[in-house]
Amino acid sequence: MRFPKIAAVPAVVLLAAACGGGGGGGGADPAGAPDSLTVWVMGTAQDPLVEYFDGIEKRYQETYPDTTVEVEFVPWEDAQESITNAMAGGDAPDVLEVGNDQTSNWAQQGALLALDEHIADWGATGDLDQGALEYGQYDGAQYGIPWFAGVRTLYYRSDWLSDMDMEPPATWDELVEVSTAIEEEQGVPGFAAPTDFTNGIASFIWSNGGEIATQEGGEWQGQLTSAEAKEAVEFYAGLTSEEEISPQSYVGENELVPLADMANGELGMYIDGSWAMGQMEEQAEDPALLEEISAAPMPGAEGIAPAFAGGSALTVFSTTEYPEHATELLKVMGDKEGGKGYADAAGYFPAYPELLNDPAYQEDPVKAAGAQQMEHTEFFPATPRWNAADQDQAILPSAVLEIVQGGDVDEVMEQANKDLTETLNEEVE
């Protein structure tokens, strides 16, 4: 999963030295601690995040009082170039945030340090989401520690549904029914089904019992030609081409376009993450309208659809001169206190399932929907080649686009499955 892509120049925040009592775990010798450690965080330097890192530094300095923490916020769109340059000998961090679906890619390229020996006695790993923890592995070694989680849910106009005496849809049939009713009553599209939206499309496939790809005999095999996957993709594409509840203006677009429409009363429902409310605040011409927007778990074929368990992982950069001290900083950022603190500051969920019972995630309707959705998640293929298949080739979005434009489902999905299988099995250089 990703932070919202907000254009900004990277900013370095040198947090003031502080002392206190309690600490970073003491797994490395304080006498050998560096003067500073550098953390690269993806996104922009928003005040709650800067405040979070001020607290992280104070906690770390309880054990390593002479070490300052320098935090550089790197826009997501600059991450690839920044990490590549660091690998080539440029400025590099000690601790690095990466998207959880990017961990194996950077591990394979040698950018990340294997953490196994450094976290062997760290008790927090047993309480982390074990699926997310496993997703941070590559070639049998642990390279990433789940930092926070993010899932997508269904946003809807609660006032419109209340006026029609309807509940948010929980199934595909209800999605069509409610969307149609919204358009008839409000004169705006009932639902958005953008085609450049792998995360949303995948949820439809998973909810119908389908898979993207599976490992068989040590090789990846695409599963896009299964009856379940084809039916799901045909349904998703048909929301535009057949049911016509999603307008043509979303064809070829991602979820950022319907976000603006949702924020301004021009759309009834769409799928996005918990972070979207902050973006809608920036887009809304009338902020009062946002009070009418609520959320529910995503509707599936017969019930709640699984969502991609997005989020980020904390890693240690392979070139750090202080691997033990960097790992101790990772632990402070990624333990229950640090993980929940960042999730709250950034609008996500902690990577510790037990913390989802916190009233803060149950009393707010939008957060409650996300917390419920967190109980229904899936992961994309854990291979460095997934990024090539999705980000570079856009195999699944391209197939949906072609079907919306009239392509034969069987033929399109056959070719997409062939491309996916070949790409996932290409030799990693």
Side-chain angles (χ1 to χ4, degrees):
M1 181 227 59
R2 301 290 190 266
F3 272 81
K5 292 184 177 180
I6 303 172
V9 295
V12 177
V13 180
L14 182 59
L15 301 173
C19 297
D29 183 7
D35 293 336
S36 67
L37 289 170
T38 299
V39 180
W40 280 7
V41 185
M42 302 300 130
T44 55
Q46 302 167 33
D47 289 343
L49 307 184
V50 175
E51 182 179 349
Y52 163 82
F53 277 105
D54 182 60
I56 289 296
E57 183 181 64
K58 290 178 181 178
R59 287 186 61 206
Y60 190 73
Q61 288 179 341
E62 291 166 1
T63 304
Y64 307 100
D66 297 324
T67 302
T68 58
V69 177
E70 297 183 17
V71 181
E72 182 172 348
F73 291 85
V74 181
W76 277 107
E77 58 266 34
D78 296 338
Q80 177 85 22
E81 181 179 0
S82 297
I83 298 173
T84 300
N85 289 342
M87 292 172 59
D91 292 337
D94 297 288
V95 177
L96 168 70
E97 174 197 356
V98 297
N100 63 352
D101 59 345
Q102 295 264 331
T103 306
S104 60
N105 174 53
W106 290 118
Q108 175 271 320
Q109 293 191 49
L112 309 180
L113 182 75
L115 300 173
D116 302 78
E117 66 178 271
H118 300 290
I119 63 171
D121 297 327
W122 189 36
T125 56
D127 294 328
L128 285 163
D129 182 299
Q130 295 303 293
L133 185 65
E134 184 178 348
Y135 203 47
Q137 297 176 2
Y138 172 69
D139 199 24
Q142 192 76 44
Y143 287 92
I145 298 299
W147 193 18
F148 60 81
V151 289
R152 286 164 173 80
T153 56
L154 179 77
Y155 283 93
Y156 66 93
R157 281 292 297 269
S158 59
D159 54 338
W160 292 353
L161 266 61
S162 178
D163 290 344
M164 297 185 297
D165 197 25
M166 302 184 83
E167 297 293 327
T171 66
W172 289 356
D173 288 344
E174 292 176 5
L175 178 64
V176 174
E177 179 185 1
V178 175
S179 298
T180 301
I182 289 173
E183 184 164 2
E184 291 176 351
E185 292 292 325
Q186 301 295 332
V188 301
F191 181 69
T195 58
D196 186 13
F197 191 25
T198 298
N199 288 291
I201 299 165
S203 288
F204 279 73
I205 293 174
W206 290 325
S207 85
N208 203 39
E211 297 283 353
I212 307 298
T214 56
Q215 273 193 303
E216 299 176 5
E219 292 191 347
W220 287 96
Q221 176 60 54
Q223 299 294 336
L224 300 182
T225 53
S226 70
E228 294 84 358
K230 288 193 293 185
E231 181 181 29
V233 168
E234 188 171 25
F235 176 79
Y236 186 88
L239 294 175
T240 301
S241 60
E242 300 296 330
E243 301 289 350
E244 297 183 347
I245 63 173
S246 178
Q248 289 287 332
S249 59
Y250 299 144
V251 175
E253 301 290 352
N254 61 28
E255 67 268 38
L256 293 179
V257 175
L259 180 149
D261 291 340
M262 189 78 192
N264 290 293
E266 298 172 1
L267 177 66
M269 297 183 291
Y270 93 118
I271 293 170
D272 209 338
S274 56
W275 54 89
M277 286 304 296
Q279 290 177 289
M280 281 192 259
E281 290 175 0
E282 298 176 357
Q283 297 279 349
E285 296 177 6
D286 179 8
L289 184 149
L290 300 181
E291 297 178 5
E292 306 296 346
I293 297 176
S294 191
M298 284 191 289
E302 299 296 337
I304 297 177
F308 168 59
S312 280
L314 290 173
T315 69
V316 172
F317 207 72
S318 59
T319 61
T320 180
E321 297 180 14
Y322 303 95
E324 292 183 353
H325 296 89
T327 304
E328 291 306 308
L329 177 56
L330 176 151
K331 292 176 182 177
V332 174
M333 294 169 59
D335 64 12
K336 289 180 182 178
E337 181 179 346
K340 183 178 184 302
Y342 191 83
D344 291 345
Y348 293 93
F349 295 95
Y352 295 89
E354 66 186 77
L355 297 182
L356 295 175
N357 294 321
D358 189 297
Y361 307 124
Q362 300 297 328
E363 295 172 357
D364 177 90
V366 173
K367 291 181 178 180
Q372 185 178 1
Q373 185 69 67
M374 287 283 293
E375 300 175 6
H376 304 269
T377 58
E378 291 282 353
F379 292 93
F380 290 122
T383 165
R385 299 302 300 165
W386 171 248
N387 294 306
D390 184 43
Q391 296 186 13
D392 297 342
Q393 299 180 39
I395 291 174
L396 194 52
S398 296
V400 172
L401 176 62
E402 192 172 345
I403 294 168
V404 170
Q405 294 174 336
D408 180 77
V409 173
D410 292 329
E411 293 179 2
V412 171
M413 296 301 281
E414 182 71 36
Q415 184 62 52
N417 201 62
K418 178 181 177 182
D419 293 342
L420 179 62
T421 300
E422 290 180 354
T423 299
L424 294 184
N425 288 304
E426 286 175 354
E427 185 175 349
V428 178
E429 298 178 358

